Amino acid sequence: MKMKKLLFLAFSLIFCSNFSFTRSAKLDAKELKAMKEIWGKLGLLGKKEWDFNKDLCSDEGNWGLTVVCDCSFETNNTCRVTEIVIASQNISTAPPSEFTKLQYLQFLDLRHNYLRGTIPFEWATMRLRNISLMGNRLSGLFPKALTRMTTLLYLNIEGNRFSGPIPKEIANLKNLDMLDLSSNDFTGQLPAALAQLTNLTYLRICDNKFNGKIPNFISRWTRINILHVQGCSFEGPLPSSISALTQLNDLKISDLKGGASTFPSLQKMLGLKRLVLRNCLINGTIPNYFRNMKNLNAIDLSFNNLTGDIPSSFSEPEIVHIYLTKNNLTGPLPGWVVSSTKNLDVSYNYLTWDASGPKSCDQGQINNIHPCLRKDFPCTKSDGQKIYSLHINCGGREVNINNTMKYEADIKKKTGASTYYNGGNWAFSSTGNFLDGYDSSNVLILSNTSILNNIPTSHTELYTTARTAAISLTYYGLCLMNGNYTVRLHFSEIVFTQDHSFNSLGKRVFDVYVQGELKVKDFDIVKEAGGAGRAVIKSYRVDVKNNTLKIQLYWAGKGTTGIPVRGNYGPIISAISVDPMFHPI
Ligand SMILES: *[C@@H]1O[C@H](CO)[C@@H](O)[C@H](O)[C@H]1NC(C)=O
Ligand SMILES: *[C@@H]1O[C@H](CO)[C@@H](O)[C@H](O)[C@H]1NC(C)=O
Ligand SMILES: *[C@@H]1O[C@H](CO)[C@@H](O)[C@H](O)[C@H]1NC(C)=O
Ligand SMILES: *[C@@H]1O[C@H](CO)[C@@H](O)[C@H](O)[C@H]1NC(C)=O
Ligand SMILES: *[C@@H]1O[C@H](CO)[C@@H](O)[C@H](O)[C@H]1NC(C)=O
Ligand SMILES: *[C@@H]1O[C@H](CO)[C@@H](O)[C@H](O)[C@H]1NC(C)=O
Ligand SMILES: *[C@@H]1O[C@H](CO)[C@@H](O)[C@H](O)[C@H]1NC(C)=O
Ligand SMILES: *[C@@H]1O[C@H](CO)[C@@H](O)[C@H](O)[C@H]1NC(C)=O
Ligand SMILES: *[C@@H]1O[C@H](CO)[C@@H](O)[C@H](O)[C@H]1NC(C)=O
Ligand SMILES: *[C@@H]1O[C@H](CO)[C@@H](O)[C@H](O)[C@H]1NC(C)=O
Ligand SMILES: *[C@@H]1O[C@H](CO)[C@@H](O)[C@H](O)[C@H]1NC(C)=O
């Protein structure tokens, strides 16, 4: 009996050691050498995260998180590297050519680093399937090496500094499934070669300096699910061929210049989940075919010239976000709007409502600014009750600067489409939700993520918080005495950082309007302030004629949207001060 047990034990020991023997296949010696060279070039040798004394294809020494191997070579005795993930490591070198020595490498993920230079031409010989270089400082023309990697399924170079035109050789990448070129400095028209990428299901080209029109050939991308074309400087009209993209579930086009369009024909896009056609010069009425789109969750048609009424099909319960801000919609506000729990913005239209309609500003999720601010903002207060200065600590609590100057608190955590009216002398209207963020929590009040620079300690409290919005943020000064004022807008970039990490690569760009007049196009706080965490104050002389001051910050689709995390974009403002240039009585 005892013997049998012992034998069994011995047998299982042998079995186990045998098993572990087969699992201990080692990384090919040449590949190990190449990995050491690569780690050296990337400045990662000696980092305790990676122990070259452990086999790279084992789970030991942290390699399991970084390297995936195929160990089937030489009858399960040799491993080769097939996948490398070295993300978020602050790597600040150029991408080394030594990656080409890993002949079986298929997946390379170098996102969220601080890589400089460009892609070495030697990489043309690699047979990668997926590559992500998202969020680095890579620059120069579109890398030729990438156009030779005909095996590519996934190519992401979002958030770098590549420039120049998209080369026609991109047509080589016929297998491409997902392509992201957003947030670079690409210019020129979209080349006809792109029409040949008929397997694309995902294409994002936002925040570049393209010109011309969105081409008609987009109809060739018949498999496309996700198409994002925001902040690209394209001209309208929208191509009518867009109606052929029946597989779309996420369509975002914004901020076209030039020619007007009528509403595109989208009725065959039955799988549509998100539709953004913002500031696209669309006129005419909104069609009423949305009831058939059972997954439709968000519609943003704001800043167009749409006329007619709000389609009844928008009342479907699945449609949770509706932005119709600043159009030319008319007619009575439908009953379902008045009682809606949706995130709904119908402000800046010509809608009318009867006694059952909204009476006060505090309408929960519905932003319909007119009832509270009333048309043309009349101030019924007597001169003695009017104000002649205004100070707001946007997104922050009340502060007394130098114990003399009080900045009012602005801490109402309202949701994406909202109006806040403080009952007295100011209000704000906020439009939009950060729909592409991974979590749907909408943080509209931001706090500084790192230490502020060069801001006098007496003023830091104005800058440690800021208010943001996904599309547009408008502050109103109400019941001001008429006259000339100095309006100061205080800005500081408090989300991106001033260091050598990927967090410093974010770019925030928005437009500033005062009294409806464009004061700064493509305002970039970091550029003007000379870095993140520094203050910049824009000062304007404003002649207040109708007791009302209006300051609008509008996001025109430019700047990064994925740094430090997806959904970080939109205007921010730290404080507002309004001081009279006259001697108040
Ligand atoms: C290699 O390993 C795999 C999986 O463990 C096994 O299915 C296969 O038979 C092995 N091949 C040889 C030649 O040993
Ligand atoms: C990258 O740099 C930032 C800022 O200096 C630092 O906080 C972070 O820990 C660094 N990350 C790594 C992996 O070294
Ligand atoms: C590679 O890209 C494809 C899409 O193009 C994706 O489905 C797949 O998950 C990616 N694989 C890896 C390992 O990143
Ligand atoms: C497109 O993808 C399908 C499978 O999804 C594949 O069979 C076909 O070869 C691809 N076409 C091209 C041109 O790569
Ligand atoms: C709306 O139409 C007017 C008059 O045709 C035009 O001046 C204006 O630019 C248009 N605005 C938008 C946002 O399309
Ligand atoms: C829309 O704009 C186009 C171009 O300006 C114009 O020709 C057309 O009449 C407009 N349509 C409507 C309904 O206003
Ligand atoms: C918008 O509506 C107003 C009021 O109905 C009208 O006066 C104006 O001409 C319209 N503008 C456009 C561009 O349709
Ligand atoms: C604004 O004030 C001016 C002069 O005080 C007046 O003519 C004009 O009608 C007012 N505008 C509005 C929109 O109330
Ligand atoms: C606060 O005091 C400092 C130094 O005395 C001065 O430079 C600054 O302008 C004052 N700030 C305000 C808001 O009055
Ligand atoms: C925010 O800024 C203040 C002032 O510079 C600093 O004391 C604080 O540490 C900063 N917060 C973070 C999270 O770095
Ligand atoms: C405001 O300033 C402008 C330009 O200097 C001047 O023409 C105007 O009369 C001033 N307004 C008032 C109410 O003083």
Side-chain angles (χ1 to χ4, degrees):
M1 247 341 209
K2 253 188 179 161
M3 196 61 183
K4 243 185 178 173
K5 244 187 183 167
L6 263 176
L7 260 175
F8 176 73
L9 200 71
F11 180 78
S12 27
L13 269 174
I14 289 163
F15 179 80
C16 283
S17 63
N18 219 357
F19 184 67
S20 71
F21 179 69
T22 53
R23 275 196 52 196
S24 71
K26 290 263 191 307
L27 177 59
D28 171 80
K30 278 190 192 141
E31 293 214 348
L32 175 59
K33 188 163 169 274
M35 285 293 284
K36 279 187 183 155
E37 286 170 18
I38 292 167
W39 252 242
K41 286 276 171 79
L42 295 176
L44 299 173
L45 267 187
K47 278 216 169 190
K48 61 178 184 313
E49 283 89 339
W50 297 283
D51 183 355
F52 273 95
N53 293 317
K54 300 281 181 341
D55 189 72
L56 275 58
C57 297
S58 68
D59 282 344
E60 297 159 30
N62 252 331
W63 289 106
L65 299 171
T66 306
V67 171
V68 175
C69 302
D70 174 352
C71 294
S72 68
F73 294 88
E74 291 165 23
T75 58
N76 288 351
N77 279 308
T78 300
C79 303
R80 307 223 181 225
V81 175
T82 57
E83 187 173 338
I84 295 179
V85 180
I86 345 175
S88 306
Q89 296 299 327
N90 300 343
I91 301 167
S92 61
T93 67
S97 59
E98 282 75 4
F99 276 110
T100 58
K101 296 184 180 176
L102 305 171
Q103 290 174 28
Y104 296 85
L105 189 64
Q106 296 190 345
F107 302 97
L108 180 57
D109 187 348
L110 297 171
R111 77 182 67 200
H112 301 183
N113 278 296
Y114 201 61
L115 292 166
R116 63 173 165 77
T118 190
I119 305 298
F121 187 71
E122 290 85 338
W123 281 27
T125 60
M126 292 211 281
R127 287 291 161 261
L128 296 178
R129 291 160 67 85
N130 294 28
I131 183 166
S132 178
L133 300 164
M134 190 270 173
N136 279 288
R137 295 177 294 163
L138 298 168
S139 58
L141 296 177
F142 190 102
K144 277 269 153 53
L146 293 177
T147 64
R148 302 285 190 90
M149 274 186 224
T150 54
T151 44
L152 280 178
L153 296 175
Y154 176 98
L155 171 58
N156 187 349
I157 56 172
E158 180 187 359
N160 277 282
R161 296 172 185 171
F162 290 116
S163 55
I166 305 300
K168 62 180 191 310
E169 290 81 3
I170 201 160
N172 297 341
L173 306 181
K174 292 208 169 45
N175 291 307
L176 265 191
D177 174 30
M178 299 172 78
L179 176 61
D180 201 328
L181 306 175
S182 298
S183 292
N184 278 285
D185 288 319
F186 289 123
T187 51
Q189 306 206 353
L190 291 184
L194 275 174
Q196 296 181 44
L197 307 185
T198 52
N199 257 10
L200 282 177
T201 63
Y202 175 109
L203 178 65
R204 294 182 69 244
I205 59 173
C206 307
D207 184 31
N208 279 291
K209 298 190 185 85
F210 294 122
N211 57 39
K213 291 180 180 160
I214 300 177
N216 251 308
F217 65 65
I218 64 167
S219 59
R220 300 276 305 278
W221 302 326
T222 52
R223 293 176 162 210
I224 205 143
N225 301 141
I226 296 178
L227 179 62
H228 292 178
V229 184
Q230 300 204 79
C232 277
S233 309
F234 282 121
E235 283 162 31
L238 292 163
S240 59
S241 66
I242 201 165
S243 59
L245 307 183
T246 56
Q247 302 301 304
L248 273 175
N249 58 49
D250 186 340
L251 174 62
K252 289 185 182 157
I253 301 179
S254 82
D255 302 288
L256 299 183
K257 306 183 293 189
S261 320
T262 50
F263 203 92
S265 167
L266 311 176
Q267 68 264 48
K268 292 197 180 133
M269 301 177 190
L270 295 177
L272 211 53
K273 286 189 192 125
R274 286 175 189 163
L275 174 64
V276 175
L277 295 172
R278 183 192 325 123
N279 196 17
C280 288
L281 300 145
I282 305 173
N283 64 15
T285 57
I286 309 174
N288 199 13
Y289 47 62
F290 297 92
R291 197 158 273 135
N292 298 329
M293 300 176 182
K294 296 296 177 204
N295 299 322
L296 192 57
N297 170 266
I299 303 174
D300 177 358
L301 304 174
S302 58
F303 298 89
N304 283 297
N305 256 339
L306 293 162
T307 53
D309 49 19
I310 300 177
S312 60
S313 55
F314 282 8
S315 66
E316 289 296 309
E318 295 78 17
I319 309 178
V320 175
H321 304 279
I322 303 175
Y323 303 106
L324 300 170
T325 321
K326 198 151 196 316
N327 275 287
N328 226 4
L329 300 174
T330 50
L333 207 55
W336 66 264
V337 169
V338 177
S339 59
S340 178
T341 55
K342 298 176 192 291
N343 235 313
L344 183 62
D345 197 326
V346 295
S347 56
Y348 309 104
N349 280 289
Y350 295 91
L351 298 157
T352 53
W353 55 93
D354 58 23
S356 69
K359 282 183 202 67
S360 77
C361 243
D362 226 330
Q363 281 288 318
Q365 316 271 87
I366 305 175
N367 187 4
N368 179 21
I369 195 129
H370 287 312
C372 50
L373 301 177
R374 290 171 300 273
K375 215 165 176 220
D376 303 331
F377 318 108
C379 176
T380 50
K381 291 180 177 171
S382 68
D383 271 0
Q385 291 172 309
K386 286 178 186 155
I387 58 163
Y388 50 84
S389 79
L390 178 62
H391 298 84
I392 307 169
N393 183 19
C394 306
R397 58 189 183 89
E398 184 181 302
V399 248
N400 269 300
I401 302 291
N402 296 353
N403 287 321
T404 52
M405 187 55 78
K406 188 176 98 180
Y407 279 73
E408 293 183 47
D410 169 23
I411 51 174
K412 275 280 183 291
K413 289 199 169 105
K414 304 280 265 184
T415 48
S418 62
T419 309
Y420 171 69
Y421 177 52
N422 90 328
N425 51 4
W426 62 275
F428 73 71
S429 163
S430 171
T431 302
N433 277 73
F434 294 97
L435 296 172
D436 45 3
Y438 283 126
D439 59 34
S440 53
S441 78
N442 263 277
V443 182
L444 299 180
I445 289 182
L446 303 172
S447 295
N448 62 318
T449 55
S450 57
I451 286 168
L452 304 176
N453 290 307
N454 282 25
I455 296 176
T457 41
S458 58
H459 289 62
T460 49
E461 280 217 67
L462 295 182
Y463 296 96
T464 50
T465 56
R467 185 172 285 283
T468 186
I471 301 173
S472 174
L473 176 61
T474 310
Y475 277 90
Y476 295 89
L478 302 172
C479 275
L480 285 160
M481 286 176 77
N482 287 339
N484 284 305
Y485 289 83
T486 304
V487 174
R488 291 190 186 86
L489 308 180
H490 301 245
F491 300 100
S492 178
E493 176 54 59
I494 57 172
V495 176
F496 309 140
T497 54
Q498 186 69 30
D499 53 26
H500 297 302
S501 80
F502 139 85
N503 286 1
S504 71
L505 301 176
K507 206 168 152 195
R508 186 186 304 280
V509 177
F510 58 93
D511 298 338
V512 179
Y513 294 80
V514 177
Q515 301 297 62
E517 191 185 307
L518 180 60
K519 294 289 187 186
V520 202
K521 175 113 194 94
D522 299 337
F523 181 50
D524 178 338
I525 299 171
V526 169
K527 221 189 225 169
E528 291 218 14
R534 290 167 182 264
V536 55
I537 300 170
K538 303 295 278 184
S539 183
Y540 303 104
R541 176 196 190 107
V542 179
D543 194 357
V544 171
K545 286 183 171 138
N546 293 56
N547 307 117
T548 309
L549 171 67
K550 182 175 167 187
I551 297 154
Q552 190 205 1
L553 310 174
Y554 174 75
W555 182 61
K558 295 188 185 169
T560 53
T561 58
I563 300 174
V565 292
R566 182 65 58 202
N568 269 255
Y569 60 85
I572 62 173
I573 185 161
S574 302
I576 295 172
S577 64
V578 180
D579 297 294
M581 297 178 81
F582 53 91
H583 290 290
I585 343 107

